[in-house]
Amino acid sequence: MIDLHCHILPGLDDGAVDMAESVEMARIASEDGVRTVVATPHVFRDGPDSQVLSLIAGKRDELAEALAREKIDLEVRCGAEVYFSHEFLDEVRGKRNRLVVNGSAYLFVEFPSDHVYAGARDIFFNLLNEGLIPIIAHPERNTSFQKEPSLLFELVRMGALAQANSRSFLGGYGSRVRETAESFLRLNLVQLIASDGHSPRNRTPRLKAAVAEVAKIVGERAAVAMVTVNPEAVIKDGEPPYRPDPIDPSTSKKSLKISVPSIFKLKNRR
Ligand SMILES: [Fe+2]
C-alpha cells in the first residue's frame, strides 16, 4: 500500500515531534503493509511559510537514513499539505516544485475545517488550467462539505481528486465524519484513502483496517485501488485507474444506496 498523506517528518508541524517518533510511525506503517509514504507537512497555515518548505527534502533524507539503519522497509517521498487561502494561487505559482507530490502535477489542498471559500471553484479552475491537479484533503472533516456535498461534487467533476482519512472510516473523528465519508464513497466523490497520520499513538499511520470498512461499501477492488494503484498513479504523475464518474448529490437521493460504483475503470490491480 501507499500512504499519500502523512505528517511523518520530525519537528516540522504538528506531526512527529522528533526522529524517534518518525521512526516509530514508519515502523507502524510498515507493519500495517505500507511500502511507500508521502511526507506531507502543513504549509501556509500561518501565512506564506517558506521555512518549512526549505526543510522538507533534507528531513526526508534524514528519515530515509534512519529507516535504513533501523532496517525498516519504507520508502519516503516528498509532498506537502497546502492550506487554502485567498493568496493561494500566488503562493503556489512561486513554489510549485516544492509543494506538489513527488514532483508530479498533484497538489494536496487543505481547506479550513469550517468553510470552503466562495472563490474555491475559480481558483481550482485556474490551477487545473495551469496543469496542477488539486487533491482535496479529508473533505469529510469539513463542515461545509458535510452540509453541501454538491460543493465537493463540483470540484471533483472539474477534475480535482479527493482523499479521505483512513481514521474517518473507523469512527476516529465521530459518527458525523464517518457517515459523511461513507456517503462520499457512495457518490464516487473519493478516489484516495490515506492516513493523515500525525503520531505513533493517537492519529497513527495505518490503512488496512479502513480498507476493510471501505470494502463493505464499494467492494474490495475499489477499496484496495484507493490505497494502491490510485496513489501509485499520483506519485508517478499518471491517471488514477479507479475514477468512477461522480454522482450529483442534489439530483440522486437513491444514489446513496448504491453499494458498488457502476463505472469501474480499474485494470491494473496488484
Ligand atoms: Fe494532514
Side-chain angles (χ1 to χ4, degrees), residues 54-79:
S54 64
L55 297 173
I56 293 173
K59 293 280 186 186
R60 187 223 76 92
D61 292 347
E62 286 177 33
L63 177 57
E65 285 171 22
L67 298 185
R69 276 197 305 274
E70 297 285 330
K71 298 191 170 29
I72 297 172
D73 183 18
L74 184 73
E75 182 184 32
V76 184
R77 304 287 182 103
C78 288

Side-chain angles (χ1 to χ4, degrees), residues 107-127:
L107 177 80
F108 265 110
V109 176
E110 177 189 27
F111 284 104
S113 61
D114 58 351
H115 68 284
V116 174
Y117 290 113
R121 205 169 173 276
D122 289 341
I123 291 177
F124 270 45
F125 182 80
N126 285 324
L127 284 173

Side-chain angles (χ1 to χ4, degrees), residues 66 193 196:
I193 298 166
D196 195 14

Side-chain angles (χ1 to χ4, degrees), residues 11-250:
L12 290 187
D13 58 4
D14 57 346
V17 295
D18 55 24
M19 187 57 80
E21 279 205 356
S22 297
V23 169
E24 196 49 38
M25 287 174 72
R27 199 185 307 277
I28 290 168
S30 179
E31 287 174 1
D32 196 54
V34 174
R35 291 290 161 261
T36 301
V37 63
V38 179
T40 51
H42 293 289
V43 297
F44 300 159
R45 263 189 168 179
D46 305 314
D49 180 2
S50 58
Q51 199 187 352
V52 169
L53 273 183
S54 64
L55 297 173
I56 293 173
K59 293 280 186 186
R60 187 223 76 92
D61 292 347
E62 286 177 33
L63 177 57
E65 285 171 22
L67 298 185
R69 276 197 305 274
E70 297 285 330
K71 298 191 170 29
I72 297 172
D73 183 18
L74 184 73
E75 182 184 32
V76 184
R77 304 287 182 103
C78 288
E81 183 176 10
V82 188
Y83 195 74
F84 197 86
S85 70
H86 292 296
E87 298 80 35
F88 192 83
L89 269 180
D90 291 337
E91 291 169 354
V92 168
R93 279 187 184 123
K95 304 179 177 82
R96 172 176 177 153
N97 290 344
R98 286 185 287 169
L99 294 171
V100 294
V101 174
N102 196 43
S104 70
Y106 292 92
L107 177 80
F108 265 110
V109 176
E110 177 189 27
F111 284 104
S113 61
D114 58 351
H115 68 284
V116 174
Y117 290 113
R121 205 169 173 276
D122 289 341
I123 291 177
F124 270 45
F125 182 80
N126 285 324
L127 284 173
L128 288 157
N129 254 350
E130 294 181 21
L132 283 164
I133 303 167
I135 303 175
I136 302 163
H138 41 69
E140 74 278 11
R141 299 192 63 199
N142 178 286
T143 51
S144 290
F145 286 133
Q146 287 171 3
K147 288 177 200 153
E148 273 189 81
S150 56
L151 281 176
L152 182 61
F153 168 74
E154 280 189 32
L155 298 177
V156 170
R157 189 174 56 172
M158 286 171 68
L161 299 179
Q163 170 262 312
N165 284 3
S166 51
R167 195 163 178 254
S168 297
F169 298 104
L170 304 172
Y173 306 101
S175 57
R176 174 93 192 255
V177 170
R178 180 173 187 157
E179 286 160 14
T180 303
E182 290 174 351
S183 73
F184 287 172
L185 278 180
R186 293 187 178 98
L187 292 164
N188 299 341
L189 297 178
V190 166
Q191 305 79 29
L192 298 159
I193 298 166
S195 75
D196 195 14
H198 276 69
S199 96
R201 290 172 301 279
N202 302 321
R203 296 166 70 182
T204 58
R206 290 186 172 93
L207 299 176
K208 200 191 293 177
V211 171
E213 291 303 310
V214 170
K216 293 175 189 169
I217 299 166
V218 293
E220 190 185 351
R221 290 181 69 202
V224 169
M226 287 190 236
V227 293
T228 56
V229 288
N230 273 11
E232 182 180 32
V234 169
I235 285 176
K236 293 183 174 173
D237 205 15
E239 172 76 15
Y242 171 71
R243 201 169 180 179
D245 290 344
I247 297 166
D248 185 347
S250 63

